[in-house]
Each structure stands twice: as structure tokens, then as C-alpha cells.
Amino acid sequence: MTATDVSAPATQARIPGSKSLTNRALLLAAAAGGVSTVWAPLLSDDTRAFRAALTSFGVAVRSSPTSEFWEVTGLGGGPVGQARLWCADAGTAARFLPPFAAAGRGAFLFDGSSQLRARPLRPLVEALRRLGAQVETGPGGGLPLLIIASDLPGGELTVESSLSSQYLSGLLMAAPLMRYGLLARAEALVSSPYVDMTLTLMRRFGAGVEKTADGAIRIEPGGYTPTDLVIEPDASTASYFFAAAAVTGRTITVPGLGTGSLQGDLRFVDVLEKAGAQVTVTESATTVRGGADGLRGGFDVDMGDISDTFMTLAAIAPLADAPITIHGIGHARLKESDRITAVASNLRACGIRVAEGADWITVHPGRPAPARISCHRDHRIAMSFSVLALGSGVPLELDDPGCVAKTFPGFHAELHRLFPDTPDREERQ
């Protein structure tokens, strides 16, 4: 990221805590022996589902009266006993919690919504079986998932990671609970900044973590120690407000997201800078100001490592002065929706010319026409197209505005607060 002078007055966006950090912190605190405090956790459907699943294991999670913090009393290892765990729509729960369960002792049944059942688990299941876990799957190799656990010895493992980095992260977080730890290698890793985030948090909870010269990751046995952690604002969520600044010429600042951020998705502001926005990143905040000449196109960008933000760029790309091509995002077809197809079909519904391939999308400039946006129960589709409506001034009706509750229940209200002329998306059903 580069630092550029931003002289116009800035409006501060109120961005909730990172989902990725919140759920990782909850799991590590649950595995530690003692009490940890997670400050400023995200309150959303996904984090509530993750927290509820942990309580099914017997983990005690106490909330302060205003949920300013969650106090987690860990198990000091893997879970013991029997439990049925409902993951709802939360992919992190379905991918992080089974390795944790396998490192314990007992029988644990995981299930989730029809949307979550459709998401792939094969690489994780195969890895757990190679480590010696007894795993039974539902039709297609996914949820429901039954794990009969008698702890895990650990050892060496190569994890197929072309579909998601979450399989590797889940196994790494369970590794200190294995008898001999783990030496893990990733095959075709996507979204590598999320693995770096995982390792950083593991170190903060006392795990022994080392990256070897050949790119492997060595995790020492020994478990975790409790700690207190403050959750950063969610960088993926911040992308919508940074993009809103870029397409309106306004200036938006997100406090708490700075040069020391653990989240790779903050690199989205580099993409906005390529598109003509002015960006300032300090130790304590990031500010984006829209360029005087509007959004600049005519470039292609690999967003494979920050794929949760590719939709933000694709949705505002019609407002640029030349086409924008985004590539390296094939794994985004396996998220809450097939995100490449969902974005492309919604843009076409708005009259925008789009081309797409297995792992890329090209969006051409054009004024959107009024349309009804199919959200596919995907929070990021709803948020991205809300920014397109704001920047274009064209009414776009979301068929499921409430799906933003997965990560930011107050999204529409915050967008309206910052941009008062924005139609209230929650009333446009």
C-alpha cells in the first residue's frame, strides 16, 4: 500500500469486527486451558453460529451486557463426549470445528443449512482420514459430517488447498492438540493471507509455529495458553465503504485498520488506488478518497488472495472509464454462491456487458438500468450491488436485503448514515 495525501475532511465508517478474526479467536480460546477475553467481537449470524457450536462442545462463553467482549473458558484441549453441532450458513464452523473435534475424544455430528451442505469439504475430510480420524460424510462428501474421535497423533500432511484456505487453517489450529504436532504443506493454496492470519493468532495463543525453508509449516504440540485479544474491524466489510468513497468522490476513514492489520483484504485499497482513488494508510486507520476524475479502468488485476473483495470491484466497474478484468478467482465459485456467475448475471440484468471464464470476469463501462438483484442468500452480493446503486444513482432492488446479517446486520443503516441520499435498501423488498 502506498500513502497519499488526503486533504478533504473524512467521514468515519463504523465497521464491525472481523468475522475471520472473531471465529479464529473463539476457537483458539476454546482450545486453551483457562479464560480468554475476546474484545469487540463481530455480532452476526456467522459468529453466533460459531459460538453456539462451541457451547455444544461444553465451552463456556460469557458475554458482557453490551457484548463489548466475550469471555471464553477453554477446555484445555479437544472436546470430550458427544455433541450435535449446527453450523447454520457458517463455512468457518464447518471447516474449523471438525479438526478440533477430531483432536478430542467422543462422537460429534456436524450439520448446517442447505447452502452449507452444498459447499465442498472433501479436502478436509481426506486430510483428517490421513491423520487417522474416523469420518463419515453425507451425500457428495459434505455435511452432515460425523467424527468419531480418539485424539490425533499428528505427523506430516499435504493439504489440497485450491478450493479454500480454510481446510488448512482448520487443521493448523488443531495441530497443537495433536500428540506429535504437525508438519503441513499446502498444495495450490488460495487466499494465503488468511493462513498467515491463522498462524499469527496461533502464536498469540502460545503455539509453537515455524515456517520451514521449503514452505512447509511446522506446528509443535503443547496446546494453547489463554490470552486477551482485540478484534480489528472487518477489512472485507470495509471494502464496500472504501468503494463507496471511490465512486462518489467522498472521503471515508475506517479507524482500527492500519499498517499492522492482520487482514489481507485491506489490500483492496491498493486496487482502488489503481482505479484512481487516493489512499492513506497510517498505523491506526485507512482513508480512501474518490478521485477527481471518477473511477479509472483499463487494467486487469489478480484478486486471488483477496477474493472476498472481487465482487466489490466488479460491481462498481461499470462506473469506470474503461473495462476492468479480474482474474485468479475461480475458487469464488464455491462460496455462498457461485460468485462469478452471480455477479455477471446481475450486471447483465442491469444492462452491463460482461464476459466471464472459469477464474476471471471482465466488466465493461455503462450506465446501469434499474433491476432487481438476485442475492442468492449471499451477503457480499447484496453489499456490492448496494454500492453500485449508490454510485450510479440508479435504483437497484435487492431480493434479499436481510442476507447481510451473515456478517454485518447494520450494513444498510450504516451506508444510509454515511450517504443520506442512499435509498433504504431494507425497505426495498
Side-chain angles (χ1 to χ4, degrees), residues 239-300:
S239 75
Y240 310 111
F241 298 90
F242 291 142
V247 298
T248 61
R250 295 273 302 280
T251 301
I252 293 292
T253 293
V254 177
L257 274 182
T259 52
S261 174
L262 301 181
Q263 299 172 78
D265 278 3
L266 184 56
R267 287 161 45 193
F268 178 72
V269 299
D270 293 342
V271 182
L272 289 180
E273 193 168 47
K274 182 186 289 282
Q278 299 180 38
V279 175
T280 295
V281 184
T282 69
E283 290 184 3
S284 60
T286 296
T287 298
V288 172
R289 179 187 181 188
D293 297 326
L295 203 66
R296 187 169 62 229
F299 62 87
D300 69 285

Side-chain angles (χ1 to χ4, degrees), residues 129-420:
R129 285 173 174 162
R130 290 199 302 274
L131 287 171
Q134 182 179 342
V135 186
E136 298 177 17
T137 67
L143 297 178
L145 190 75
L146 175 65
I147 292 183
I148 308 298
S150 56
D151 72 33
L152 291 176
E156 293 191 25
L157 185 68
T158 297
V159 184
E160 201 284 302
S161 303
S162 65
L163 303 180
S164 174
S165 65
Q166 290 178 354
Y167 311 129
L168 179 60
S169 281
L171 292 159
L172 292 173
M173 286 189 284
L177 310 181
M178 301 176 192
R179 287 198 300 275
Y180 307 113
L182 187 67
L183 180 65
R185 292 178 174 84
E187 182 179 346
L189 177 63
V190 297
S191 303
S192 60
Y194 284 96
V195 175
D196 293 336
M197 173 195 298
T198 298
L199 297 176
T200 297
L201 289 186
M202 289 172 62
R203 291 186 183 101
R204 291 193 182 180
F205 278 85
V209 176
E210 176 193 1
K211 281 192 174 182
T212 66
D214 63 354
I217 302 169
R218 186 185 307 279
I219 309 296
E220 299 297 329
Y224 293 104
T225 55
T227 192
D228 294 347
L229 188 73
V230 178
I231 302 299
E232 301 172 12
D234 194 292
S236 307
T237 298
S239 75
Y240 310 111
F241 298 90
F242 291 142
V247 298
T248 61
R250 295 273 302 280
T251 301
I252 293 292
T253 293
V254 177
L257 274 182
T259 52
S261 174
L262 301 181
Q263 299 172 78
D265 278 3
L266 184 56
R267 287 161 45 193
F268 178 72
V269 299
D270 293 342
V271 182
L272 289 180
E273 193 168 47
K274 182 186 289 282
Q278 299 180 38
V279 175
T280 295
V281 184
T282 69
E283 290 184 3
S284 60
T286 296
T287 298
V288 172
R289 179 187 181 188
D293 297 326
L295 203 66
R296 187 169 62 229
F299 62 87
D300 69 285
V301 58
D302 186 338
M303 298 184 72
D305 279 347
I306 56 170
S307 62
D308 277 352
T309 64
F310 101 80
M311 293 156 288
T312 317
L313 179 63
I316 63 172
L319 308 180
D321 60 6
I324 294 175
T325 296
I326 306 166
H327 57 90
I329 53 173
H331 54 288
R333 292 190 180 277
L334 300 170
K335 299 279 190 171
E336 285 83 343
S337 65
D338 177 340
R339 286 176 165 170
I340 298 177
T341 294
V343 168
S345 60
N346 278 316
L347 286 172
R348 291 185 183 114
C350 297
I352 302 301
R353 185 158 63 98
V354 180
E356 62 175 293
D359 73 340
W360 60 272
I361 185 171
T362 297
V363 182
H364 293 264
R367 177 168 173 77
R372 182 175 173 85
I373 302 301
S374 297
C375 297
H376 301 276
R377 288 179 56 203
D378 190 332
H379 55 136
R380 303 209 182 281
I381 300 296
M383 295 182 194
S384 296
F385 279 86
S386 294
V387 180
L388 175 59
L390 170 67
S392 65
V394 172
L396 300 176
E397 183 179 358
L398 306 179
D399 70 351
D400 184 11
C403 69
V404 300
K406 182 176 175 68
T407 49
F408 189 5
F411 170 79
H412 299 296
E414 181 63 2
L415 194 67
H416 186 70
R417 183 186 73 84
L418 294 170
F419 302 92

